[in-house]
Amino acid sequence: MSLLITCDTGGWKTPTRLRSHLDDTELSSSDQMVAGEIGIDRLVRQGIDREANFATRRLAYCSGGIAICNEYRADLIDVGRSLHHRDLFSPAVRELPAATRSAIIEEIYSPYRTRVERQLLDMLRTWSYVVHLSVRTFNAKTRDGRWRRGDIGLLYDPSREDEVDWCMDLVEELYHTAPDLKVRRNHPWRGTNDSLTKALRGQFLPDVYLGIEVVLNRSWVARSVACRDETLSLIGDAIGELTGDLIERAA
């Protein structure tokens, strides 16, 4: 199946080479910013997004897609951002020496981006196009405390017709299989914002690459209950059915 599902922000490991750089800093513990720790609100993403990691693997399993998850800590660097983006590093990392920041890019950022690009190229040797879904979660509340509406956001480039059609088809599929889910398009932010999918659109033509961010509301995906797992399975099944149908039509 020409389906790749990635997770930029779900890792929690620290590369061996970086451990000495982080000694005696607030970043020395890999568990410091993991959601679920006592005193941390699960509804607010704190840097390391384990829920997105879990969701990515579940969606890939149910849809039959290939999963690639960044195994290293998102509180060190957000590998989904471009190198010039203001949120590439967390505030704590921005205070570290330039040599340390360069080492983080070399150890975490560059290998992950290269791995995703190589996987896409490898898949395109077999398939005429690839659907790439990049999974994240978003905070259940806005900064001013209002609850966000919507359970799932599908973020895409409106100028790419195939991405628009794919998202519309998924919305329709979920309407029939999971009618209680509120699916919104280009919410809670735009699909043309800085992201890995946006960067890859610049490398692959629109007729061979569909890059879509699937963002999940932490109001439900951060709760470790059977209903969450069942919902992710329904979404994964819908993605698998849709991608399979597209392949048959293209054949």
Side-chain angles (χ1 to χ4, degrees):
M1 179 177 290
S2 60
L3 175 63
L4 174 64
I5 307 180
T6 64
C7 178
D8 302 337
T9 55
W12 56 88
K13 297 180 182 179
T14 303
T16 302
R17 180 189 167 195
L18 295 180
R19 289 174 183 168
S20 61
H21 291 268
L22 303 177
D23 285 344
D24 302 321
T25 73
E26 61 181 276
L27 295 160
S28 59
S29 171
S30 63
D31 296 323
Q32 240 175 290
M33 299 181 73
V34 176
E37 189 175 314
I38 294 175
I40 290 181
D41 185 355
R42 280 185 175 273
L43 301 183
V44 178
R45 179 172 170 260
Q46 299 290 335
I48 296 175
D49 195 359
R50 283 193 174 185
E51 287 76 15
N53 184 295
F54 173 81
T56 297
R57 296 181 187 279
R58 184 106 183 173
L59 292 175
Y61 174 79
C62 294
S63 65
I66 295 173
I68 294 181
C69 295
N70 172 31
E71 62 181 328
Y72 296 119
R73 297 166 53 187
D75 60 328
L76 294 180
I77 190 169
D78 186 338
V79 296
R81 304 300 182 196
S82 57
L83 289 173
H84 64 267
H85 196 275
R86 64 179 181 276
D87 293 328
L88 176 69
F89 296 116
S90 67
V93 174
R94 287 198 291 268
E95 296 178 0
L96 298 177
T100 299
R101 298 197 300 274
S102 295
I104 291 172
I105 292 172
E106 183 179 341
E107 289 291 313
I108 300 177
Y109 185 95
S110 297
Y112 175 78
R113 306 270 292 215
T114 298
R115 183 184 176 192
V116 172
E117 291 169 16
R118 287 179 176 172
Q119 182 63 56
L120 288 169
L121 289 169
D122 186 60
M123 295 172 76
L124 287 170
R125 293 189 181 98
T126 303
W127 305 99
S128 59
Y129 73 96
V130 174
V131 177
H132 171 211
L133 306 181
S134 178
V135 179
R136 289 181 180 239
T137 69
F138 62 90
N139 294 341
K141 293 183 179 180
T142 62
R143 291 181 179 179
D144 58 4
R146 291 181 292 119
W147 289 97
R148 281 196 166 102
R149 300 175 61 191
D151 300 310
I152 307 173
L154 301 177
L155 316 182
Y156 56 89
D157 184 343
S159 70
R160 291 198 167 206
E161 293 184 6
D162 287 344
E163 291 185 9
V164 176
D165 291 344
W166 193 93
C167 288
M168 292 295 289
D169 287 345
L170 182 59
V171 170
E172 183 177 354
E173 185 76 22
L174 290 175
Y175 177 79
H176 294 291
T177 60
D180 292 334
L181 281 177
K182 186 174 181 59
V183 185
R184 302 188 66 178
R185 294 179 289 126
N186 279 329
H187 172 87
W189 55 86
R190 296 177 181 176
T192 52
N193 286 0
D194 186 87
S195 64
L196 177 57
T197 53
K198 180 179 179 179
L200 290 170
R201 288 184 197 121
Q203 299 180 40
F204 296 95
L205 295 174
D207 58 341
V208 301
Y209 175 79
L210 282 69
I212 297 158
E213 290 184 84
V214 178
V215 293
L216 308 171
N217 193 324
R218 296 188 63 81
S219 64
W220 66 273
V221 81
R223 302 182 186 278
S224 183
V225 294
C227 182
R228 174 199 65 174
D229 300 347
E230 293 167 3
T231 301
L232 288 171
S233 295
L234 287 172
I235 298 169
D237 290 343
I239 290 170
E241 287 290 331
L242 176 58
T243 308
D245 287 345
L246 287 175
I247 291 172
E248 289 180 7
R249 276 182 272 169

